[in-house]
Amino acid sequence: MKRLALVLLLAATPVEAKTILFVGNSFTFGANSAAHYYKPDTVTDLNGPGPNGKTVGGVPAFFKAFTREAGLDYTVSLETVGGKGLDFHYAEKRAVLDKPWDVVVMHGYSTLDQAHPGDSALLVSSAKQISDMFRAKNTKAELWLDATWSRADMTYPQSAPWHGKPIQQMGIDVAGGYALAAKNAHVTGVIPLGLAWNRAIDTGAAGGDPYAGIPAGKIDLWSWDNYHASAYGYYLEALMVFGKVTGKDPLSLGDNETVADDMGFSKPQTHALQQLAHDQLAASNMLGQ
């Protein structure tokens, strides 16, 4: 009887939610899109309200919605500062970051190094430093690096660092930098977001040159500044994080997924973005990434 009572007690005890922390900049908080202040009450912004009195929802709130739809329980927090890399977060935000998180998703500055575009040395060193901090508090923490996308404004203008190269090249270079950082920091893995953007362009699902205009019927992944993402781009980011962190297929969310509906996406657009995430995750898994 005692054993039965113990079994019933354990069965009735709710499983504690996993904690997940997002560390990043405008590419996480969803600048220039409806993602920025999307359902901020569902996540915890560790920096508190901004000058406008609002807290951030962003990609973390998209992720939270996906997990609820999938029947998963995550307590989601974020710490974001525009235009900053992991070196800044470690130096200036350690007081709110240095805790025993179950999962951390993080990324650095979009060009790898703001002062030296394409140079991964700062990302490699700062990813190791901040990863060691997280592991010191929880040796079993899952640490993910989010390799970001090609910036059109860093490719097409005459003076841009990637000028004269295909739009996909910056995403490839960024992915290479994150691969080096992941190896050096011994993290759980890399979320190949930039490669998913490349796949969207390569397959014709998305346009590749916003300066020339995005053809009718194609998704525009960039916002008006050709730098940050549109709501579509941030949705793809959240799908990639969801797939990597939870192990769930993004396609399982379905064409009636609520975030996409809130953003005003058509069902074909929603399906296309979920398919892109599915395909990129499958390709990365085949390569053991």
Side-chain angles (χ1 to χ4, degrees):
M1 290 296 293
K2 288 183 178 179
R3 183 177 180 182
L4 177 59
L6 178 61
V7 170
L8 291 173
L9 177 62
L10 291 173
T13 303
V15 177
E16 189 174 347
K18 269 191 171 183
T19 60
I20 181 169
L21 169 68
F22 288 77
V23 181
N25 48 47
S26 54
F27 281 20
T28 293
F29 68 62
N32 297 354
S33 79
H36 196 165
Y37 299 111
Y38 181 74
K39 295 188 175 180
D41 57 311
T42 63
V43 298
T44 300
D45 184 346
L46 298 179
N47 290 330
N52 61 3
K54 297 180 180 180
T55 55
V56 169
V59 171
F62 281 12
F63 173 85
K64 176 65 177 182
F66 295 166
T67 58
R68 281 179 169 172
E69 292 170 45
L72 304 173
D73 194 4
Y74 280 83
T75 299
V76 181
S77 300
L78 62 137
E79 190 282 297
T80 57
V81 180
K84 300 298 183 182
L86 293 178
D87 54 314
F88 170 88
H89 295 285
Y90 180 82
E92 302 295 333
K93 296 293 181 175
R94 185 164 182 166
V96 297
L97 298 177
D98 197 3
K99 298 175 182 178
W101 307 97
D102 295 321
V103 184
V104 179
V105 176
M106 51 189 166
H107 66 83
Y109 189 73
S110 58
T111 61
L112 298 176
D113 185 328
Q114 189 170 14
H116 307 284
D119 187 338
S120 63
L122 180 60
L123 175 69
V124 169
S125 62
S126 58
K128 174 72 163 60
Q129 194 173 37
I130 202 168
S131 295
D132 287 348
M133 179 193 76
F134 288 127
R135 277 206 205 82
K137 281 290 174 21
N138 180 8
T139 57
K140 296 181 179 179
E142 295 179 24
L143 306 179
W144 295 92
L145 294 176
D146 189 9
T148 55
W149 56 85
S150 292
R151 287 171 49 178
D153 71 315
M154 286 283 147
T155 300
Y156 292 109
Q158 193 72 31
S159 60
W162 279 269
H163 178 73
K165 298 178 181 179
I167 185 60
Q168 295 90 340
Q169 190 59 51
M170 181 178 173
I172 293 169
D173 292 346
V174 168
Y178 276 85
L180 289 174
K183 184 177 181 180
N184 185 60
H186 304 289
V187 298
T188 307
V190 175
I191 298 167
L193 172 58
L195 299 184
W197 276 50
N198 285 357
R199 180 178 294 272
I201 295 165
D202 292 341
T203 59
D209 184 358
Y211 288 92
I214 301 298
K218 293 184 184 291
I219 293 169
D220 187 352
L221 293 171
W222 291 280
S223 74
W224 52 263
D225 62 1
N226 303 322
Y227 167 0
H228 294 90
S230 64
Y232 298 109
Y234 293 123
Y235 187 78
L236 181 56
E237 179 176 8
L239 289 172
M240 293 294 292
V241 174
F242 172 77
K244 275 291 191 182
V245 169
T246 70
K248 298 286 187 181
D249 186 348
L251 282 170
S252 68
L253 295 168
D255 296 356
N256 294 316
E257 195 283 313
T258 60
V259 175
D261 187 57
D262 289 342
M263 292 295 111
F265 301 169
S266 70
K267 284 181 171 53
Q269 289 171 330
T270 302
H271 183 83
L273 290 163
Q274 292 178 6
Q275 186 70 56
L276 286 163
H278 167 91
D279 292 347
Q280 187 58 53
L281 290 166
S284 297
N285 290 338
M286 285 182 63
L287 295 173
Q289 297 174 338

